[in-house]
């Protein structure tokens, strides 16, 4: 059976994108994990209707 | 009590920044409660829950900052809110260097080979980010809570279709190949894989395995709703199958609060076909419902699950039951003899949700009725989380305490206050606190509580009594917080210290004259 992406994750190494709290990226970097930090802000100004519209367009 | 609020339009900050501001304001004399948060629908409901409402708050949006304060006097409220810029500037984040990324897509352009997205955005946006990550082929660690159950199901079905793992939502802890994600400890690698719907339960399990000399292949958090009927255990089943395939895993353990009976039954059927031995610690489930299951061993406590897992690996046996040593029994007798007659009750002021649950399970089995804000039995629910009744164990990580505040594992302010309040109650005989070490937790959790512990003990002495303090530490010697130093701080403050929640709870029961069955 071919490896799933779960198997690949468990086999390592972890390559991560951290979206939100920066401390989580810092603690991963401290463990030598290759991680990029995304400084997330609410998309579309946080307007749920606009967000739905945006999702439909993409 | 006087209160007030200020709204700043279009000033977005993440929750850690807001919590830091919150903490500073809370230190001002006379301030009783504060909320520093963004105007999302969830947060506005939280404000309503603590009695702060206004048309301007209703009109605020997720990019608008709301700062509210409740204080002893209107002048304190006015002073605190008038100095908002000062608070914000004091905490202002260090300037970030390099390119600032704003979206997952931008992250993927820098890191196209990524295999994991760690997501901690506010709950109402979390499912959207997780869906994008899954569609891009990434596994997901979803720390965010307040994700609707329908959205969780949709995410986990999408993950199943694509052979991906969704850890969460509301996932506090995972350890993948030795890497701690979220609240996790420094634990050596080894043959035991563990799946957990309980964050501090996973931390306790992995630390105890490490402290017994063995190690963990992977610890996979599933989120607290995974074994519900609605979700059907999708992440648990995926994790079980992955650990079965994983060459480094020899034994599998599952730690969870009570699953739905139907899902538990299906899980036990799958476990019967698993090629590796499986140990299950389902807190609060009657073991008789799991008797005579093939390839399955039931553990009543996390400690028992650790002992069974180690034995299944051929390791030397470790203490499975919470029996106390002769020295501990003697110390307990001495402590009990120093009390005044009115001192009767236990107060557990806990940071770990699983610990709150496991302690209640053990104490109930010992014949004690325990009140809690997060009770085993709905009839034992405290009328108000802040008001203890007889024997009480409080989960200080409960939503009630989390309105724009850091979790008690990150910051001890709320627990300190509660310990001092309990110290004023002449009927309190035993105070129990848990200390949780590891990545992303407070750098000095014992140090944060120790002055309050001393003060509470002193108050009892001045009344002619004696307050016994019991502490459990969840951590390893490799953790950044220095376990030995944490233990020393607690012992010097007069606490009885244990390296297990179950054993500390057994000590609490013994201090109340009750034995604990193993």
């Amino acid at each position: 059976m071919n490896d799933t992406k779960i198997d690949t994750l468990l086999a390592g190494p972890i390559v991560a994108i951290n979206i939100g709290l920066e401390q989580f990226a810092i603690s991963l970097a401290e463990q030598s994990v290759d991680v990029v930090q995304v400084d997330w802000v609410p998309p579309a100004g946080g307007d749920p209707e606009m967000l739905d519209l945006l999702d439909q367009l993409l | 009590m006087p209160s007030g609020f200020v709204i700043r339009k279009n000033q977005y900050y993440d929750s850690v920044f807001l919590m830091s501001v919150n903490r500073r304001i809370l230190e001002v004399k006379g301030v009783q409660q504060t909320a520093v948060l963004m105007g999302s629908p969830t947060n506005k409901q939280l404000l309503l829950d603590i009695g702060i409402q206004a048309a301007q708050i209703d009109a605020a949006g997720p990019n608008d900052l709301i700062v509210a304060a409740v204080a002893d006097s209107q002048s304190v409220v006015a002073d605190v809110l008038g100095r908002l810029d000062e608070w914000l500037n004091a905490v202002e984040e260090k300037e970030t260097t390099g390119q600032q990324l704003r979206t997952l897509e931008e992250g993927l352009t820098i890191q196209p080979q990524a295999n994991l997205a760690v997501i901690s955005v506010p709950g109402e946006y979390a499912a959207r980010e997780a869906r994008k990550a899954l569609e891009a082929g990434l596994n997901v660690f979803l720390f965010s809570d307040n994700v609707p159950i329908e959205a969780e199901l949709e995410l986990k079905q999408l993950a199943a279709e694509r052979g991906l793992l969704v850890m969460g939502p509301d996932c506090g802890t995972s350890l993948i190949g030795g890497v701690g994600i979220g609240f996790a400890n420094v634990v050596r690698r080894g043959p035991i894989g563990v799946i957990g719907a309980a964050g501090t339960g996973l931390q306790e399990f992995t630390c105890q395995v490490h402290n017994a000399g063995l190690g963990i292949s992977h610890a996979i958090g599933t989120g607290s709703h995974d074994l519900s009927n609605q979700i059907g255990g999708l992440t648990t089943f995926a994790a079980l199958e992955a650990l079965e395939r994983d060459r480094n895993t020899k034994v599998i353990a599952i730690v969870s609060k009570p699953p739905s009976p139907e899902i538990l039954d299906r899980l036990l059927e799958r476990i019967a076909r698993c090629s590796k031995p499986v140990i299950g610690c389902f807190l609060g489930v009657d073991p008789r419902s799991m008797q005579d299951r093939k390839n399955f061993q039931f553990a009543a406590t996390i400690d028992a699950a650790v002992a069974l897992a180690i034995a299944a690996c051929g390791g030397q046996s470790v203490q499975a039951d919470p029996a106390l040593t002769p020295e501990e029994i003697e110390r307990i007798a001495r402590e009990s003899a120093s009390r005044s007659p009115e001192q009767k009750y236990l107060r557990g002021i806990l940071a770990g949700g699983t610990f709150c649950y496991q302690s209640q399970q053990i104490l109930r089995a010992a014949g004690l009725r325990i009140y809690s804000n997060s009770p085993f039995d709905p009839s034992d629910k405290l009328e108000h989380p802040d008001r203890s009744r007889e024997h009480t164990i409080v989960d200080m990580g409960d939503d009630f305490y989390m309105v724009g505040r850091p979790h008690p594992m990150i910051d001890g302010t709320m627990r300190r206050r509660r310990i001092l309040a309990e110290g004023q109650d002449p009927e309190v005989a035993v105070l129990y606190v848990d200390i949780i070490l590891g990545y992303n937790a407070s750098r000095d959790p014992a140090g944060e509580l120790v002055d309050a512990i001393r003060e509470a003990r002193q108050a009892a002495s001045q009344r002619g009594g004696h307050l016994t303090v019991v502490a459990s530490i969840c951590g390893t010697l490799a953790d950044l917080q220095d376990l030995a130093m944490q233990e020393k701080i607690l012992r010097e403050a007069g606490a009885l210290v244990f390296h297990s929640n179950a054993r500390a709870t057994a000590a609490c029961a013994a201090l109340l004259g009750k034995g604990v069955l193993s």
Side-chain angles (χ1 to χ4, degrees), chain B residues 3 27 76 96 156 160 168 184 188 244 259 288 381 447 509 515:
Chain B
S3 66
E27 281 167 7
V76 174
T96 46
K156 289 184 171 177
R188 83 172 66 77
E244 190 178 14
R288 284 171 298 187
K381 194 170 175 73

Side-chain angles (χ1 to χ4, degrees), chain B residues 92-112:
Chain B
E92 196 62 80
E93 291 162 299
K94 68 267 167 237
E95 281 303 306
T96 46
T97 52
Q99 192 182 1
Q100 197 170 27
L101 308 172
R102 288 294 190 193
T103 64
L104 171 70
E105 293 81 357
E106 289 173 11
L108 277 167
T109 59
I110 308 277
Q111 195 90 293

Side-chain angles (χ1 to χ4, degrees), chain B residues 374-385:
Chain B
S374 182
F376 238 65
D377 185 326
S379 65
D380 296 333
K381 194 170 175 73
L382 288 173
E383 270 180 39
H384 189 285

Side-chain angles (χ1 to χ4, degrees), chain B residues 183-460:
Chain B
F183 296 101
N185 302 81
V186 182
V187 169
R188 83 172 66 77
R189 297 186 71 176
I192 301 171
V194 54
I195 302 164
T200 41
L202 274 184
Q203 285 190 266
E204 179 86 335
F205 183 92
T206 55
C207 287
Q208 286 193 22
V209 167
H210 176 99
N211 293 337
L214 265 80
I216 297 291
S217 57
H218 309 284
I220 300 174
T222 65
S224 50
H225 304 295
D226 193 65
L227 291 171
S228 66
N229 271 336
Q230 294 101 312
I231 304 300
L234 284 170
T235 297
T236 303
F237 281 95
L240 182 66
E241 282 161 17
L243 291 178
E244 190 178 14
R245 289 192 299 270
D246 178 51
R247 272 180 293 171
N248 296 319
T249 303
K250 306 292 178 224
V251 174
I252 301 169
I254 304 176
V255 179
S256 167
K257 288 185 190 175
S260 105
E262 293 82 3
I263 305 307
L264 177 59
D265 206 50
R266 275 180 41 208
L267 186 60
L268 291 170
E269 279 171 25
R270 177 63 188 83
I271 286 169
R273 291 183 281 111
C274 183
S275 58
K276 297 176 182 177
V278 179
I279 290 126
C281 172
F282 299 104
L283 296 172
V285 175
D286 184 344
R288 284 171 298 187
S289 68
M290 293 175 281
Q291 267 172 357
D292 302 325
R293 293 295 194 140
K294 199 177 156 206
N295 191 40
F296 178 77
Q297 286 181 282
F298 170 76
T301 60
I302 296 167
D303 301 40
V306 170
L308 289 172
I310 289 173
C313 292
Q316 64 185 127
S317 64
V318 294
Q319 190 175 4
D321 62 58
L324 299 165
T325 64
E327 295 76 30
E328 286 163 350
I329 291 168
E330 196 213 320
R331 168 82 187 269
I332 284 167
R334 261 189 290 130
E335 294 272 339
S336 302
S338 316
R339 261 183 238 146
S340 67
E342 61 185 334
Q343 288 185 278
K344 292 185 289 248
Y345 297 125
L346 163 71
R347 300 289 155 82
I349 311 301
L350 303 189
T354 311
F355 294 151
C356 180
Y357 213 72
Q358 180 170 257
S359 288
Q360 287 182 66
Q361 174 181 291
I362 293 169
L363 292 166
R364 279 165 60 102
L368 294 165
R369 182 172 191 181
I370 306 294
Y371 291 93
S372 178
N373 56 340
S374 182
F376 238 65
D377 185 326
S379 65
D380 296 333
K381 194 170 175 73
L382 288 173
E383 270 180 39
H384 189 285
D386 270 343
R387 286 194 286 277
S388 295
R389 176 180 177 187
E390 298 175 11
H391 300 304
T392 290
I393 296 191
V394 194
D395 174 5
M396 296 293 291
D398 183 52
D399 286 347
F400 174 81
Y401 293 105
M402 302 297 294
V403 186
R405 291 209 193 92
H407 192 279
M409 279 163 60
I410 301 175
D411 181 90
T413 307
M414 296 310 290
R415 284 218 287 170
R416 218 159 40 226
R417 288 185 172 203
R418 184 60 174 262
I419 291 166
L420 291 173
E422 300 294 354
Q424 296 302 314
D425 183 344
E427 292 192 318
V428 178
V430 182
L431 179 75
Y432 169 39
V433 295
D434 57 348
I435 300 293
I436 304 169
L437 313 185
Y439 293 113
N440 298 304
S442 163
R443 285 299 165 109
D444 184 14
E448 284 187 336
L449 302 186
V450 74
D451 287 345
I453 288 172
R454 283 209 172 89
E455 207 172 307
R457 296 188 76 218
Q458 209 173 350

Side-chain angles (χ1 to χ4, degrees), chain A residues 6-18:
Chain A
I6 303 176
D7 300 328
T8 314
L9 178 75
L10 299 193
I14 293 175
V15 181
I17 297 181
N18 184 59

Side-chain angles (χ1 to χ4, degrees), chain A residues 4-7 10 13 15-24 27 31 33-34 38-43 45-46 55, chain B residues 12 15-16 62-63 94 100-102 111 114-118 120 125 128-129 137 139 163 179-180 218 245 439-440:
Chain A
T4 68
K5 287 187 170 173
I6 303 176
D7 300 328
L10 299 193
V15 181
I17 297 181
N18 184 59
I19 306 160
L21 306 176
E22 193 181 9
Q23 184 54 44
F24 286 165
S27 70
Q31 299 173 79
V33 171
D34 189 0
V38 171
D39 294 312
W40 183 91
V41 291
D55 282 343
Chain B
Y12 183 83
S15 58
V16 168
N63 276 317
K94 68 267 167 237
Q100 197 170 27
L101 308 172
R102 288 294 190 193
Q111 195 90 293
N115 53 20
L116 177 70
V118 177
S120 55
Y125 305 100
R128 183 176 186 271
E129 298 301 324
N139 296 285
V179 172
H218 309 284
R245 289 192 299 270
Y439 293 113
N440 298 304

